Amino acid sequence: MSRSHLIQHPGPKTSPRRHVVRGLSAPLAFELPEGMTLMAAVAAAMDKAGCDTAVIRLDGLKIGPYNYVMPDKSPDDEHVAWYSQTHSGEEAVLQQATAIVGRRSGDWFLHCHAYWEDKKTGRHAGHLLPDQVTVAANFKGSGHGFVGGCFDVTADAETNFSFFRPKPLVAAPRVNAAIVCLAPHEDLVTSVAELCAELGFSNPEVLGIGSLIGADFRDAPSMASPISEVLLLKGAKGGGSGQEPLLPMFCVDPDGNFFEGDLIRGGAPVCVTFEMILIGE
């Protein structure tokens, strides 16, 4: 059952509801040196990568010290949700983590959601602050570079937030992928299924992060909270040719409760935004 009615943003609805830029994706391998901040290390890697934007996985990355925030209620009437106070940790390993890498005012910037195991305090999840996270050991990672467009931090009148939105650049020589931003109240499963049909992708890999107004799963208890931070887990696929998308999702709510399972159609309306890449053949 959709909980979309629980959230009403302060501004007028933006159009379109699905921002999509088609382009060319290729596998991306990179290294992050020990001792650098996550933001500086990723920026240096992107300078070498030769792509316009990227979505990367940071599973297994050792971090510390580090700061992060969790989802929280808004302190004012200008936003429907906000961030918690800043939390800190000394040493942790990211279990699963996805970072969208794009531009903010022309400079590299990243948006990262993760869950991790802290050596002292156990399991946590949330939004890592990239310039307040130190890479604790040399790391070799992978992801997907993208040419033909860029995730660019853009002010959004509907939500009063600034977040990544796909921006078209010089057209790629061919198309095998798309970078996407979904507006509030768009159902994630429905959107992915319809986008795959529109793009002609058959069961593409999907990576993405964002927030949901509650979540219903095929195989696990629902998340009731209309405020959350979420990330798609390994194995997410877009479906197509009569096949329903398979979107395993990890969620954390403002109370620090974790929820995990395969999303069902109609059970995952976007809260503020959802940023993702769909990678076809």
Side-chain angles (χ1 to χ4, degrees):
M1 177 179 173
S2 176
R3 300 170 183 81
S4 192
H5 64 282
L6 298 176
I7 291 293
Q8 181 63 51
H9 288 280
K13 283 191 173 182
T14 58
S15 182
R17 307 305 287 167
R18 301 170 185 171
H19 295 263
V20 183
V21 173
R22 305 180 188 208
L24 178 63
S25 176
L28 176 65
F30 59 92
E31 296 184 10
L32 306 180
E34 178 182 353
M36 296 183 72
T37 67
L38 179 60
M39 185 67 261
V42 170
M46 288 298 291
D47 284 339
K48 299 176 183 177
C51 55
D52 296 325
T53 204
V55 181
I56 59 176
R57 296 301 301 258
L58 298 173
D59 305 359
L61 174 66
K62 295 181 180 180
I63 60 173
Y66 65 95
N67 289 342
Y68 69 100
V69 293
M70 292 169 54
D72 205 351
K73 296 177 181 178
S74 175
D76 54 45
D77 295 329
E78 300 302 314
H79 307 86
V80 298
W82 198 244
Y83 305 104
S84 71
Q85 65 181 13
T86 300
H87 300 278
S88 300
E90 295 180 10
E91 186 178 353
V93 178
L94 303 184
Q95 304 300 302
Q96 289 204 48
T98 296
I100 310 289
V101 188
R103 299 281 186 176
R104 184 176 67 174
S105 301
D107 295 325
W108 290 116
F109 188 67
L110 70 85
H111 179 198
C112 182
H113 288 185
Y115 69 87
W116 60 90
E117 190 73 24
D118 186 281
K119 188 174 182 179
K120 291 185 177 180
T121 59
R123 200 182 194 199
H124 299 278
H127 172 119
L128 291 171
L129 301 175
D131 56 350
Q132 299 176 39
V133 173
T134 300
V135 177
N138 292 336
F139 177 76
K140 292 183 178 181
S142 63
H144 299 275
F146 183 87
V147 173
C150 178
F151 281 107
D152 191 60
V153 174
T154 305
D156 178 65
E158 180 175 356
T159 63
N160 272 340
F161 280 92
S162 292
F163 47 68
F164 276 142
R165 182 166 286 163
K167 174 183 176 182
L169 298 174
V170 176
R174 63 185 181 90
V175 171
N176 70 346
I179 53 175
V180 178
C181 171
L182 301 181
H185 303 286
E186 291 293 291
D187 180 69
L188 181 58
V189 181
T190 303
S191 296
V192 168
E194 293 179 353
L195 285 168
C196 287
E198 292 168 10
L199 295 164
F201 293 167
S202 178
N203 210 29
E205 182 179 359
V206 187
L207 288 82
I209 61 176
S211 58
L212 297 176
I213 308 171
D216 292 320
F217 307 106
R218 300 175 189 171
D219 51 353
S222 297
M223 176 181 68
S225 172
I227 300 171
S228 64
E229 299 269 23
V230 306
L231 73 150
L232 285 169
L233 300 176
K234 287 180 179 177
K237 294 286 187 176
S241 302
Q243 207 172 5
E244 190 74 351
L246 176 63
L247 300 179
M249 183 70 76
F250 183 93
C251 315
V252 60
D253 71 12
D255 294 323
N257 298 311
F258 302 146
F259 302 85
E260 183 177 345
D262 296 334
L263 294 171
I264 62 171
R265 190 185 288 253
V270 171
C271 182
V272 175
T273 184
F274 198 90
E275 305 152 2
M276 60 183 169
I277 184 170
L278 283 69
I279 304 133
E281 296 179 357

